[in-house]
Amino acid sequence: MTGSIIEKINNLKKKKNAVILAHNYQPGEIQDIADFTGDSLELSRKAASTSADVIVFCGVLFMAETASILSPQKTVLLPDKNAGCPMADMITAAQLEELKQKYPDSLVVCYVNSPAEVKAISDYCCTSSNAVDVVNSLDAEKKIIFVPDKNLGQVVKQRTGRDMVLWPGYCPTHIFATADDVKKIQAAHPAAILLAHPECPEPVRDCADELLSTGQMLKYVRTSDKKEFIIATEIGIIHTLKKQNPDKTFYPASEKFICPNMKKITLEKVLFSLEDNKYIVKVPDDIAQKARKALDRMIAVLPKG
Ligand code: 13P
Ligand code: SF4
């Protein structure tokens, strides 16, 4: 059954000149059929550069919106129209507008996990892999408004020493692992390296050996001579970690580390999406045009390391 679904997906992909992009948190079987997997920055770059006519985005809405903004001439499909990101929805354009009025001389940096309308009124976009580099590239005299993730914002503020106003958004998945959970796993596996996503709250971040985006975690593990790793981010990434590193062992920081929205995408929905061109994500031209400036600036800043 699964075999025939995959065959149908592959046939339709060829017929429609489609490409399947999947985030590192996607279910294993989706990552396995994807043409390209990656973190938010890697997927944005791919969406901007692909020659395909159709992009099937296996991820959440803000990622498909980003692809639509960067490649407006392409058809961008999100296989489940309800796959959103609750953190992205914690800020609206009206709320950001109010904040900008309060700090009129500031620059706005918005995490890519945000609605298109928020990107449209931001100066810069960033992802977890280049947020520090984006902020470091800005005029040192300027105050920076950072939305919507307070956790990534705190990391950037600590690492750059910049004057920053942080919006109080957060990821409801990355609060599942507590510092107690993490310390217990560390005690049980004292040789393991703890890799945490910057979206984790501070007490968990403080236990970490490294704070990395999902793409950076994959690279770190591939090139490390260590054998055991505790992973403090969504467990979907462990599928690819194991596949790429069969000789290494991975412990999730918590079994509850699951993003329910990322898990809404299934093979059947990918097939339906290609069969019926659904669900089309198209950011209106006026918003896309403004948001593209912030995204182009994000793509231009290469993460270090
Ligand atoms: P990455 O860019 O590190 O893949 O993170 C995306 C995300 O949504 C984290 O929750
Ligand atoms: Fe959004 Fe958190 Fe899911 Fe990432 S893991 S898509 S930030 S809800």
Side-chain angles (χ1 to χ4, degrees):
M1 181 64 184
T2 306
S4 70
I5 290 184
I6 294 173
E7 241 171 64
K8 284 181 189 165
I9 290 174
N10 285 334
N11 288 340
L12 274 169
K13 240 176 50 179
K14 246 187 240 152
K15 200 169 135 197
K16 295 195 156 182
N17 188 26
V19 68
I20 298 180
L21 305 186
H23 186 262
N24 292 324
Y25 294 160
Q26 282 291 292
E29 66 269 25
I30 300 291
Q31 295 195 49
D32 289 346
I33 58 146
D35 297 290
F36 189 81
T37 57
D39 66 15
S40 307
L41 185 62
E42 292 164 337
L43 292 173
S44 301
R45 289 216 166 95
K46 207 66 193 176
S49 66
T50 178
S51 59
D53 296 315
V54 176
I55 298 173
V56 182
F57 215 115
C58 299
V60 292
L61 179 63
F62 77 80
M63 296 178 175
E65 281 185 346
T66 300
S68 162
I69 294 165
L70 292 169
S71 284
Q73 71 291 358
K74 298 194 174 114
T75 303
V76 179
L77 304 174
L78 181 64
D80 186 310
K81 67 174 184 315
N82 295 315
C85 168
M87 182 218 276
D89 295 336
M90 286 179 193
I91 181 94
T92 63
Q95 287 169 319
L96 178 54
E97 207 55 78
E98 216 174 289
L99 205 57
K100 283 173 64 162
Q101 274 163 26
K102 201 165 161 196
Y103 303 103
D105 279 336
S106 56
L107 289 172
V108 179
V109 178
C110 84
Y111 190 23
V112 72
N113 301 39
S114 54
E117 294 78 5
V118 166
K119 291 182 175 80
I121 54 168
S122 296
D123 298 299
Y124 285 78
C125 233
C126 71
T127 74
S128 57
S129 64
N130 69 359
V132 169
D133 301 312
V134 167
V135 169
N136 269 333
S137 74
L138 306 182
D139 182 348
E141 300 303 311
K142 292 274 190 189
K143 187 189 273 297
I144 290 156
I145 296 174
F146 191 90
V147 298
D149 185 17
K150 66 175 177 189
N151 289 302
L152 178 61
Q154 285 160 3
V155 173
V156 175
K157 193 172 172 173
Q158 281 155 7
R159 295 195 171 173
T160 62
R162 297 293 301 269
D163 178 12
M164 291 173 72
V165 177
L166 307 182
W167 187 255
Y170 65 93
C171 165
T173 290
H174 280 79
I175 57 172
F176 280 142
T178 64
D180 279 353
D181 292 334
V182 162
K183 281 176 187 157
K184 264 186 220 148
I185 302 175
Q186 283 181 308
H189 306 286
I193 301 288
L194 172 60
L195 305 181
H197 198 277
E199 287 178 16
C200 289
E202 192 164 21
V204 172
R205 297 200 309 267
D206 285 348
C207 302
D209 293 293
E210 302 285 344
L211 295 177
L212 301 169
S213 76
T214 60
Q216 289 168 333
M217 280 187 197
L218 287 164
K219 186 173 173 201
Y220 184 97
V221 171
R222 265 198 318 269
T223 53
S224 168
D225 53 11
K226 298 284 192 292
K227 294 289 178 208
E228 292 177 88
F229 300 87
I230 301 165
I231 305 297
T233 197
E234 216 276 350
I235 56 172
I237 194 174
I238 294 183
H239 173 82
T240 306
L241 283 168
K242 282 184 177 163
K243 218 165 122 177
Q244 293 182 350
N245 308 278
D247 58 326
K248 297 178 182 173
T249 309
F250 303 96
Y251 311 105
S254 164
E255 293 294 343
K256 289 183 283 182
F257 233 138
I258 295 170
C259 174
N261 283 286
M262 284 284 180
K263 301 306 190 237
K264 284 180 180 161
I265 310 295
T266 62
L267 285 175
E268 285 81 359
K269 288 180 194 171
V270 172
L271 176 59
F272 300 154
S273 136
L274 276 162
E275 276 176 347
D276 297 334
N277 253 11
K278 64 185 190 189
Y279 295 89
I280 294 177
V281 175
K282 174 78 183 142
V283 176
D285 284 343
D286 52 333
I287 294 170
Q289 224 174 347
K290 290 183 198 150
R292 198 170 308 128
K293 281 190 202 137
L295 279 168
D296 282 344
R297 288 169 175 165
M298 167 185 95
I299 288 183
V301 178
L302 287 169
K304 294 194 176 73

